[in-house]
């Protein structure tokens, strides 16, 4: 279920027309809303081929108003170049993992299944989680689990993972969940104690924060400059689900507004969050935070 649909539409104002980019098109829910809302064209990017296949179905009725590209969103400028597009009216990034990735068999994202430790968003390239775990040192792993997972017992979990891997008893998500649960110990509360470890390893393996850090600086110059008729400039909207991501977006946006003649302004002093009804219908929306940046005239 796509989060903050109305809020994204209001933020990106597709009724202005023009070219829009969805850098995390997923199954195409937000993209569909932008096209129905008046976007002339939409370039949808995802690094997951399966997501692109689903987006192709969702967006089929829009015909050649849509181009779908298999790429990492950090490479959006070259994707736009290849499409012959210089500047765009709006860019959306809806970060993180999709429910399709969590639910689909054979992906290795979820502790609810027992399958090989893959966890790659792009299964066409790069090492799997199992391969990365073979050559990571315990200290690095502990830092990853602490930083990206907020796991207080990160050292214990890292030690247990490295140990189990060496013993040859850590090849599946079920085994990883069991190792993490045992290392964290204690009674379960509402959340499975291996959740934090899975989240941390996913962010690390897919370099999710690295991509985010790069894309903001690379893409704001591609947002349309307002044409002097009072029309608004191109906008960049980012939905994050993790406090580290939200902080990164907030600081990157703020840094761009410094100086005597900033080229952009931030439209969201505070992040936009989901309303009660949406959270009730879709618990994942609870942690979603939307921030929006707009290009200004010279
Ligand atoms: C939360 S889902 C997006 C859902 C989508 N907005 C919708 O309405 O269906 C996030 C998507 O971003 C993709 N993704 C994550 N990091 C990416 C990156 N660096 N480059 C391209 N796609 C990425 C994932 O593969 C996943 O399909």
């Amino acid at each position: 279920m796509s989060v903050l649909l109305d809020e994204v539409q209001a933020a990106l104002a597709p009724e202005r027309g023009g070219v829009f980019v969805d850098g995390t098109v997923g199954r195409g829910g937000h993209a569909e809303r932008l096209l129905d809302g008046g976007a002339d064209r939409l370039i949808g990017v995802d690094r997951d081929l399966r997501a692109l296949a689903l987006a192709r179905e969702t967006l089929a009725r829009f015909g050649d108003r849509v181009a779908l590209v298999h790429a990492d969103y950090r490479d959006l400028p070259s994707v736009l170049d290849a499409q012959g597009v210089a500047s765009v009216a709006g860019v959306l990034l809806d970060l993180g993992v999709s429910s399709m990735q969590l639910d689909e068999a054979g992906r290795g994202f979820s502790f609810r299944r027992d399958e090989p430790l893959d966890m790659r968003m792009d299964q066409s390239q790069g090492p799997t989680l199992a391969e990365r775990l073979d050559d990571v040192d315990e200290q690095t792993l502990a830092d990853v689990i602490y930083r990206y997972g907020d796991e207080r017992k990160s050292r214990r979990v890292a030690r247990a993972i490295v140990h189990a891997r060496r013993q040859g008893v850590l090849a599946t998500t079920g085994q990883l969940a069991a190792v993490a649960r045992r290392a964290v110990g204690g009674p379960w509360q509402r959340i499975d104690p291996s959740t934090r470890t899975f989240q941390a390893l996913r962010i690390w393996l897919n370099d999710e924060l690295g991509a985010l850090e790069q894309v903001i600086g690379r893409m704001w110059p591609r947002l349309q400059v307002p044409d002097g008729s009072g029309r608004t400039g191109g906008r960049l909207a980012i939905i994050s689900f993790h406090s580290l991501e939200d902080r990164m977006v907030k600081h990157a946006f703020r840094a761009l507004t410094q100086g005597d003649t900033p080229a952009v302004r931030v439209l969201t002093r505070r992040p936009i969050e989901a309303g009660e009804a949406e959270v009730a219908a879709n618990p994942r929306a609870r942690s979603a935070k939307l921030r929006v940046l707009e290009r200004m005239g010279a």
Side-chain angles (χ1 to χ4, degrees), residues 93-286:
L93 298 173
D94 173 20
L95 304 175
V97 67
S98 69
S99 44
M100 177 277 285
Q101 289 165 334
L102 288 172
D103 296 343
E104 197 181 51
R107 302 302 302 260
F109 282 104
S110 174
F111 51 79
R112 294 201 179 85
R113 293 174 167 279
D114 191 24
E115 54 190 24
L117 287 175
D118 188 329
M119 260 198 220
R120 286 171 301 166
M121 287 185 173
D122 184 353
Q123 289 185 303
S124 73
Q125 58 176 312
T128 63
L129 179 59
E131 288 162 346
R132 280 298 290 279
L133 288 179
D134 277 336
D135 48 42
V136 68
D137 62 272
E138 193 178 312
Q139 181 61 48
T140 305
L141 195 57
D143 290 347
V144 163
I145 295 170
Y146 183 73
R147 192 155 176 258
Y148 301 156
D150 286 324
E151 174 55 71
R152 284 183 304 116
K153 297 190 178 161
S154 57
R155 285 177 199 290
R156 288 180 56 139
V157 176
R159 195 175 317 128
I161 289 177
V162 169
H163 183 73
R165 195 73 196 146
R166 287 207 192 108
Q167 302 288 307
V169 290
L170 180 50
T172 69
T173 47
Q175 289 166 333
L176 175 62
V179 166
R181 285 181 199 128
R182 213 175 309 126
V184 171
W188 281 38
Q189 307 223 324
R190 210 165 41 85
I191 294 177
D192 184 319
S194 68
T195 310
R196 294 185 292 274
T197 298
F198 271 74
Q199 170 185 293
L201 295 176
R202 189 203 87 219
I203 291 174
W204 172 61
L205 181 75
N206 292 289
D207 189 22
E208 293 179 29
L209 293 170
L212 179 58
E213 190 168 29
Q214 291 177 13
V215 72
I216 299 171
R218 289 181 182 177
M219 278 308 288
W220 77 261
R222 306 294 290 252
L223 300 174
Q224 241 155 39
V225 179
D227 61 11
S229 64
R231 281 165 62 98
T232 54
R235 292 179 179 173
L236 168 62
I238 305 185
I239 302 171
S240 62
F241 293 87
H242 190 290
S243 57
L244 283 176
E245 290 170 343
D246 183 55
R247 207 175 314 144
M248 191 179 270
V249 174
K250 178 169 129 182
H251 290 170
F253 279 11
R254 192 184 292 154
L256 290 173
T257 63
Q258 305 300 307
D260 293 337
T261 50
V264 301
R265 64 183 176 132
V266 177
L267 300 183
T268 43
R269 256 172 52 83
R270 299 174 59 78
I272 297 169
E273 297 181 15
E276 267 175 45
E278 182 174 359
V279 173
N282 178 12
R284 184 170 175 269
R286 184 185 305 279

